[in-house]
Amino acid sequence: MKFLRLLLLLILLPYGQLKAQSLEDYKLWLDYSPVQNTDLAADYLKITRSIYVDDADPILAKAKNELTTALPQLLGKKLVFTNQILPENSLVIALYENLPKELKEQTKAEIENSTDEGFLIKSIDLKGKSKIIISAKKEIGILYGVFRFLHLMQSHQDLNAISIADSPKIDIRMLNHWDNLDRTVERGYAGFSLWNWQKLPDYIDERYIDYARANASIGINATALTNVNANALVLTPMYLEKVEALANVFRNYGIKVYLTARFSAPIEIGNLKTADPLDREVRKWWKDKAKEIYARIPDFGGFLVKANSEGQPGPQNYGRNHVDGANMMAEALKPYGGNVIWRAFVYSEHDDTDRAKQAYDEFLPYDGKFMDNVLVQVKNGPIDFQPREPFHPMFGALEKTPLVMEFQITQEYLGFSTHLVFLPKLFEEVLDSDTYRKGKGSTVAKVIDGSLYGNTLTGMAGVSNIGNDLNWTGHPFAQANWYGFGRLAWDPYLSSDNIAEEWIRATYSNDENFIQPVKKMMLTSREAVVNYMSPLGLHHIFDTGHHYGPGPWVDNLGRPDWNPVYYHKADSLGIGFDRTPTGSNATEQYADEVAKMFNDTDKIPERDLLWFHHLPWDYTLNNGETLWNGMALQYQEGVDQVEEMIRTWDSMKSFLTESQYNEVAMLLKIQLKEAKWWRDACLLYFQKFSDRPLPAGVEKPTQTLEHFKSLKFPFAPGIRPSWD
Ligand code: GCW
């Protein structure tokens, strides 16, 4: 008996620990743990003494719900809501139109300046008494305002003289889920898809609600539920009923649902012979489909489309072009206010032009030809979500077409959900890049928020890193990438430094002794991964299919531009891709100022050097090292940086629960092992060409090149079972 009990205990023990750990992580940045600072807690209690909240609408009710959940946890006290707006109320949360006259007067200017999604949180004095007003033009503004207000408490901000008027700078702030109907997730590293299609529409998983809360708390207002490598079935009535159920949940958090539309759907589910966008019957089919969808989901966002890219069907199958395809769908959605988001991630197996040039070449002539409810979605760089890329040359080049920024939050090329990499640093670098299209200061952020060319419809999309793992994102720190994406989609001018701090405070601790070192660790993590994977502008040297480990030697894939050797071009003379006028001349796709800078080895930032230049192994870097030595030292630096991250995390133990500490400590150890794998595999391989010894300071390789080449990962997560 005793033995049995012991056995049971041993079996259950790990689960107990898992539960504790995941419950903490499940809350994301909406962890409302008690405010420890007693002065602040006293202030907050005063502010929440008597609360009035408008709640005569489902969105407002969600705002009230959140307060009801959060405040007692933060302040350890039950709340009293009053049902009348009175001058005595210490916290008034109401639509502007419902505010009493004297409160309107004090908030008018800010509210008038805000957009329909904006809000105001303001401390004002009325009859000698101070109070806080959270107000907005529309219900969704109130919800956003309440989330911000709670965040301020979570992060221990002084609210006494608070005055925050904030509106999103981008209209469509969207997650793209690459989720398949069988619940696998392409490039997903956090378990299976959240969408339980089998149990929908009748079973509403609590997770859908928490997903919506998390998104609303950072201002995400759109979600494309399905993979861009699309399955037409999602457009059939059986699935639309399920999509409708999700839309009904998300609507109350201000989130619109989009679907990916497979271009050949009229054939696959409509029994038509063609999907030619100029065919009358095809056009009618899409119109009828739009009508059917809007009958179920009146606020349906629209279609996200990957066409004529990596085997997906598209208008070119019928001798038509992207404009024909996009406008056909746009026409169908237009009467209902829906949008088409057409992806520009195209490169052709029949085109031997440098892959980095193809999307620009293809789309530039279409500028001005799309309907006004079409947006073109462009990846941040011209190849494919590498640890570092220069900004995509389409940004700033198309003046009349709204361009949606596509970032990848899921870490396809950045160590999956095993490596700690804080991506807002990458996002910020891209958004801050200067296109020079209208002179100095024409940043990518200004293209995306529409201010450079006065676009009225704007968007930013992030390929989701969310799955059904208990902690949502696989790595606890990957939650910061979801958070940071949302914040930058709201305001592309925020700094990654502030975002990191906000997230740490809301997720872990408000103690400066924790915040500062952990923030530093997060901010260096992006450069670390660049250093140990692909320093100095190297790119796409990943092993086949899974894109996890190194594979700079791969040269046997069907298309030249799928092979790493195509990108690094290492030979006995040197390394790098010449994209200057002596090579592929990709630099001509940038504004003159930018092209000149990229063309000139003296002016180009060294971080992009080998993206644009093929240089001899003895080329001298800014620090005086030869290219070979400098490259090797950067690989080593990446490893050293991970070691430093481990030291930092170890020194934070006292702030963390055991499970919080352990999970990240274990992941960092794997990251270190794999940083060394990257360093050793790449240096041993490139050394065959450079024919030079490793410089002092670079550790001896842990294995032989043959060993690294022999590693295979047929069951790595996130790979598409078949490219159909
Ligand atoms: O990077 C590639 C990925 C594919 C993805 C494609 C795309 C959804 O490896 O898995 O397909 O990009 O963005 O369309």
Side-chain angles (χ1 to χ4, degrees):
M1 197 54 195
K2 226 176 176 182
F3 171 76
L4 267 181
R5 227 182 294 153
L6 190 71
L7 192 73
L8 202 68
L9 196 72
L10 280 177
I11 296 171
L12 290 178
L13 207 63
Y15 291 100
Q17 187 180 347
L18 184 72
K19 194 168 161 220
Q21 166 182 323
S22 43
L23 282 182
E24 278 158 29
D25 292 344
Y26 180 83
K27 295 183 210 152
L28 295 161
W29 48 89
L30 299 176
D31 173 21
Y32 300 120
S33 49
V35 176
Q36 302 289 359
N37 177 324
T38 43
D39 289 348
L40 278 174
D43 273 1
Y44 295 168
L45 279 171
K46 241 168 64 195
I47 292 165
T48 52
R49 212 176 46 243
S50 89
I51 311 173
Y52 173 82
V53 198
D54 270 359
D55 62 356
D57 158 282
I59 296 184
L60 294 174
K62 295 298 175 199
K64 188 168 177 181
N65 255 350
E66 200 65 28
L67 290 162
T68 319
T69 311
L71 290 175
Q73 293 183 52
L74 286 162
L75 306 174
K77 191 180 155 255
K78 235 182 136 228
L79 294 183
V80 189
F81 288 106
T82 61
N83 48 16
Q84 250 184 314
I85 306 194
L86 297 170
E88 298 84 71
N89 298 151
S90 57
L91 177 60
V92 174
I93 304 174
L95 289 173
Y96 179 71
E97 63 186 29
N98 295 342
L99 291 179
K101 195 161 152 272
E102 55 267 59
L103 297 183
K104 267 192 176 149
E105 273 159 21
Q106 300 210 42
T107 51
K108 185 165 187 257
E110 291 97 333
I111 295 287
E112 274 177 359
N113 270 332
S114 73
T115 70
D116 279 356
E117 292 178 296
F119 62 83
L120 172 69
I121 306 175
K122 192 176 180 183
S123 150
I124 61 173
D125 259 357
L126 196 71
K127 301 190 179 129
K129 289 222 165 120
S130 74
K131 58 184 68 275
I132 289 187
I133 311 293
I134 304 179
S135 190
K137 283 182 182 154
K138 294 263 156 66
E139 291 77 1
I140 187 62
I142 298 282
L143 182 62
Y144 290 155
V146 162
F147 272 116
R148 186 70 64 84
F149 175 73
L150 291 172
H151 176 83
L152 295 171
M153 283 194 178
Q154 273 182 301
S155 51
H156 293 192
Q157 306 300 307
D158 183 349
L159 299 178
N160 281 314
I162 183 119
S163 179
I164 298 181
D166 202 4
S167 293
K169 296 194 168 60
I170 290 173
D171 302 320
I172 304 172
R173 307 177 296 278
M174 165 185 234
L175 288 178
N176 288 183
H177 289 268
W178 287 355
D179 293 15
N180 300 312
L181 298 182
D182 64 3
R183 295 191 77 179
T184 56
V185 180
E186 185 156 345
R187 308 310 176 184
Y189 315 110
F192 287 95
S193 169
L194 287 185
W195 324 134
N196 190 337
W197 296 109
Q198 191 248 330
K199 286 191 178 146
L200 281 164
D202 302 313
Y203 184 81
I204 299 299
D205 193 320
E206 190 67 22
R207 279 231 162 180
Y208 306 150
I209 296 161
D210 287 332
Y211 164 86
R213 283 175 56 231
N215 281 327
S217 75
I218 46 177
I220 288 174
N221 66 356
T223 179
L225 300 176
T226 43
N227 192 351
V228 288
N229 292 321
N231 189 323
L233 281 182
V234 78
L235 301 177
T236 58
M238 179 175 120
Y239 277 96
L240 288 176
E241 193 187 3
K242 298 168 191 284
V243 173
E244 179 186 348
L246 288 174
N248 289 343
V249 174
F250 298 158
R251 180 174 303 116
N252 296 335
Y253 292 90
I255 299 167
K256 283 188 179 179
V257 162
Y258 283 67
L259 289 175
T260 48
R262 185 158 161 97
F263 202 80
S264 49
I267 304 173
E268 288 155 8
I269 58 168
N271 287 323
L272 297 189
K273 296 230 154 41
T274 175
D276 181 347
L278 299 192
D279 182 275
R280 270 201 21 231
E281 271 189 86
V282 172
R283 297 178 82 82
K284 180 169 179 313
W285 188 87
W286 283 108
K287 282 187 180 156
D288 291 346
K289 189 49 73 181
K291 190 171 172 196
E292 180 189 344
I293 297 174
Y294 280 93
R296 290 181 178 279
I297 310 168
D299 57 350
F300 180 65
F303 294 137
L304 168 65
V305 190
K306 171 175 176 176
N308 292 122
S309 163
E310 299 185 328
Q312 292 300 301
Q316 291 169 357
N317 297 34
Y318 307 95
R320 316 295 182 195
N321 63 31
H322 290 292
V323 176
D324 299 325
N327 284 354
M328 169 191 64
M329 289 189 186
E331 202 178 276
L333 296 170
K334 181 89 185 164
Y336 313 96
N339 299 314
V340 172
I341 304 186
W342 195 265
R343 292 177 87 231
F345 178 66
V346 296
Y347 59 101
S348 160
E349 64 230 73
H350 309 297
D351 188 345
D352 55 10
T353 322
D354 174 3
R355 173 169 156 189
K357 294 179 69 175
Q358 294 185 26
Y360 173 102
D361 282 347
E362 197 159 338
F363 276 85
L364 205 72
Y366 301 144
D367 194 18
K369 302 209 165 119
F370 290 105
M371 281 179 60
D372 62 2
N373 57 333
V374 176
L375 301 99
V376 172
Q377 182 163 303
V378 184
K379 290 189 181 182
N380 61 272
I383 297 289
D384 192 10
F385 298 137
Q386 297 302 294
R388 169 165 282 129
E389 297 194 30
F391 71 89
H392 201 300
M394 282 176 72
F395 294 121
L398 282 81
E399 299 184 14
K400 300 184 195 102
T401 310
L403 298 186
V404 175
M405 168 64 75
E406 180 174 321
F407 285 128
Q408 195 180 43
I409 314 173
T410 191
Q411 292 169 234
E412 175 180 356
Y413 296 96
L414 289 113
F416 294 3
S417 59
T418 311
H419 293 203
L420 190 164
V421 182
F422 181 58
L423 293 176
K425 195 81 185 149
L426 182 167
F427 303 158
E428 172 186 52
E429 180 177 293
V430 177
L431 291 165
D432 286 353
S433 297
D434 199 339
T435 71
Y436 277 88
R437 286 294 177 183
K438 280 178 84 182
K440 195 169 163 41
S442 308
T443 59
V444 172
K446 288 188 186 164
V447 175
I448 298 307
D449 76 3
S451 59
L452 195 68
Y453 295 121
N455 306 110
T456 45
L457 189 57
T458 56
M460 191 189 285
V463 180
S464 151
N465 62 348
I466 303 161
N468 71 349
D469 269 10
L470 291 167
N471 70 1
W472 301 87
T473 55
H475 197 305
F477 275 76
Q479 296 179 354
N481 295 334
W482 175 10
Y483 179 86
F485 165 77
R487 296 290 288 130
L488 283 166
W490 177 279
D491 182 350
Y493 302 95
L494 290 178
S495 80
S496 58
D497 190 298
N498 283 345
I499 293 172
E501 176 152 348
E502 285 176 9
W503 179 81
I504 296 170
R505 283 177 180 276
T507 309
Y508 281 110
S509 168
N510 279 293
D511 192 317
E512 287 297 326
N513 296 318
F514 181 84
I515 295 171
Q516 294 314 325
V518 172
K519 183 162 80 174
K520 193 163 157 230
M521 170 177 90
M522 291 169 77
L523 294 175
T524 38
S525 63
R526 189 299 184 100
E527 211 54 43
V529 78
V530 170
N531 285 336
Y532 64 71
M533 284 188 181
S534 43
L536 293 168
L538 286 175
H539 51 287
H540 219 306
I541 54 176
F542 292 79
D543 203 0
T544 309
H546 53 76
H547 296 161
Y548 189 63
W553 46 81
V554 174
D555 62 0
N556 60 350
L557 301 182
R559 301 170 48 154
D561 52 8
W562 281 351
N563 287 300
V565 294
Y566 170 94
Y567 296 98
H568 62 68
K569 302 202 186 313
D571 55 25
S572 62
L573 301 177
I575 184 169
F577 197 131
D578 183 1
R579 293 194 163 101
T580 71
T582 55
S584 78
N585 206 11
T587 51
E588 75 172 345
Q589 295 182 334
Y590 292 93
D592 282 352
E593 292 86 339
V594 181
K596 271 193 198 128
M597 170 190 67
F598 285 151
N599 284 337
D600 186 341
T601 50
D602 288 337
K603 302 222 170 80
I604 187 171
E606 226 160 47
R607 63 186 197 201
D608 293 323
L609 199 59
L610 303 177
W611 185 284
F612 289 108
H613 297 269
H614 187 82
L615 294 169
W617 294 109
D618 283 330
Y619 172 86
T620 312
L621 296 173
N622 291 338
N623 62 4
E625 298 284 355
T626 62
L627 175 57
W628 167 250
N629 283 355
M631 192 172 110
L633 287 164
Q634 280 208 19
Y635 271 107
Q636 178 64 45
E637 192 183 341
V639 172
D640 296 346
Q641 284 166 316
V642 179
E643 266 165 359
E644 179 64 30
M645 286 159 68
I646 291 177
R647 276 194 294 276
T648 302
W649 193 247
D650 278 350
S651 65
M652 294 296 112
K653 229 173 168 166
S654 62
F655 297 96
L656 299 160
T657 65
E658 206 180 322
S659 57
Q660 273 178 328
Y661 166 78
N662 280 338
E663 55 186 346
V664 175
M666 287 187 285
L667 289 163
L668 283 170
K669 264 199 196 138
I670 307 178
Q671 187 169 357
L672 178 62
K673 199 161 57 177
E674 296 181 347
K676 290 182 179 171
W677 168 28
W678 268 93
R679 175 198 64 195
D680 297 345
C682 292
L683 289 178
L684 285 172
Y685 169 74
F686 291 134
Q687 194 173 32
K688 290 201 322 184
F689 302 97
S690 79
D691 204 19
R692 285 156 172 78
L694 290 176
V698 178
E699 287 162 2
K700 263 182 58 194
T702 49
Q703 292 282 355
T704 62
L705 181 58
E706 275 50 52
H707 167 80
F708 294 123
K709 281 182 160 179
S710 73
L711 299 176
K712 294 283 168 277
F713 306 91
F715 303 112
I719 311 180
R720 187 142 32 119
S722 69
W723 285 65
D724 44 17

